[in-house]
Amino acid sequence: MRLLVVEDEPAIAADIAAALERAGYVADVVRDGEDAWFQAETEAYDGIVLDLGLPRLDGLTVLKRLRAAGVAVPVLILTARDSWSERVAGIDAGADDYLGKPFHSEELLARIGAILRRAAGHATPLLEAGGVSVDTRRMLVHLGGRQLALTALEFRALRYLVHHKGRVISQGELAEHVYGQQEAPDSNAVEVLIGRLRRKLGVELIVTRRGYGYLIDG
């Protein structure tokens, strides 16, 4: 799952990105509204963490532009704790949730996880498909009562495929949402990753659609 973090305070941005990456997300960071608008329009993200007090272009304007352009990606806005008017304006502009500053990283992870699940129609952090359960909060995968030992990349790939089960995911899309901007994969990296994942799962869960990508049916 690939997220865009928009925060102009370097220390806060770094803390958010680190917390997200520890939780198995890919996090891209930008520090002003103009860059946020460009990134969100040109790159594919599963969610956005958006501070409202940004230089060059404020966060509320970024959000309004995204929604006007039909970008429906879930957005969690960050606001000053006592600024109820900012929270109301953000929700009215199309935000999915808000979080007041200062905040605890666990609450950030819970809220971003919740809006991502709602967007995909999942009711809980536990995703299931073909006898495999993926606990997105604790980053655990079980099969038949047995916990599987997956690498960070393998977990990201499996979570993305199960999160979007029933839809064919191209190699390019999977690469975008599993590897960060600084981890551009080799041309066959996704195939190798899926091969390792299949061997660890030991079940025919991930189907290849030749010329299209990968699919988990259910």
Side-chain angles (χ1 to χ4, degrees):
M1 307 292 281
R2 186 183 182 196
L3 304 178
L4 178 63
V5 177
V6 189
E7 169 60 61
D8 64 320
E9 292 290 339
I12 296 176
D15 287 346
I16 292 173
L20 291 172
E21 287 166 3
R22 285 195 300 270
Y25 296 100
V26 174
D28 298 339
V29 178
V30 295
R31 294 195 171 91
D32 67 65
E34 289 286 356
D35 285 346
W37 167 241
F38 175 79
Q39 284 285 106
E41 269 231 310
T42 58
E43 298 288 335
Y45 290 101
D46 299 294
I48 300 175
V49 179
L50 177 66
D51 185 29
L52 294 186
L54 298 170
R56 298 181 68 193
L57 190 67
D58 67 271
L60 193 61
T61 300
V62 173
L63 179 57
K64 288 178 178 178
R65 286 188 182 183
L66 290 175
R67 295 311 189 220
V71 178
V73 60
V75 174
L76 173 67
I77 58 171
L78 304 179
T79 72
R81 182 163 307 272
D82 60 350
S83 182
W84 64 266
S85 59
E86 276 194 346
R87 297 197 293 270
V88 171
I91 296 298
D92 285 346
D96 297 86
D97 199 358
Y98 67 85
L99 184 60
K101 295 181 179 180
F103 53 83
H104 194 282
S105 61
E106 283 300 312
E107 184 176 5
L108 169 73
L109 294 175
R111 288 183 180 274
I112 196 69
I115 66 173
L116 294 178
R117 291 196 304 273
R118 286 199 299 268
H122 300 299
T124 73
L126 190 64
L127 308 180
E128 297 184 344
V132 175
S133 65
V134 181
D135 188 330
T136 60
R137 284 289 287 126
R138 297 191 297 161
M139 295 178 64
L140 298 176
V141 176
H142 288 86
L143 174 62
R146 176 173 58 95
Q147 183 176 321
L148 302 182
L150 302 185
T151 67
L153 288 177
E154 290 163 355
F155 178 80
R156 288 179 195 172
L158 181 61
R159 176 170 64 179
Y160 192 77
L161 290 169
V162 175
H163 187 82
H164 295 285
K165 68 179 180 180
R167 180 166 73 83
V168 177
I169 307 297
S170 70
Q171 281 196 8
E173 179 181 347
L174 191 59
E176 284 183 351
H177 293 266
V178 169
Y179 297 89
Q181 286 182 321
Q182 307 304 317
E183 301 180 73
D186 297 331
S187 58
N188 68 335
V190 172
E191 289 183 13
V192 172
L193 178 61
I194 293 297
R196 291 204 315 262
L197 194 49
R198 281 173 169 153
R199 286 193 294 274
K200 289 188 177 182
L201 291 171
V203 294
E204 295 184 4
L205 179 67
I206 304 171
V207 178
T208 298
R209 291 283 187 258
R210 295 294 178 189
Y212 296 95
Y214 303 103
L215 168 72
I216 289 180
D217 267 325

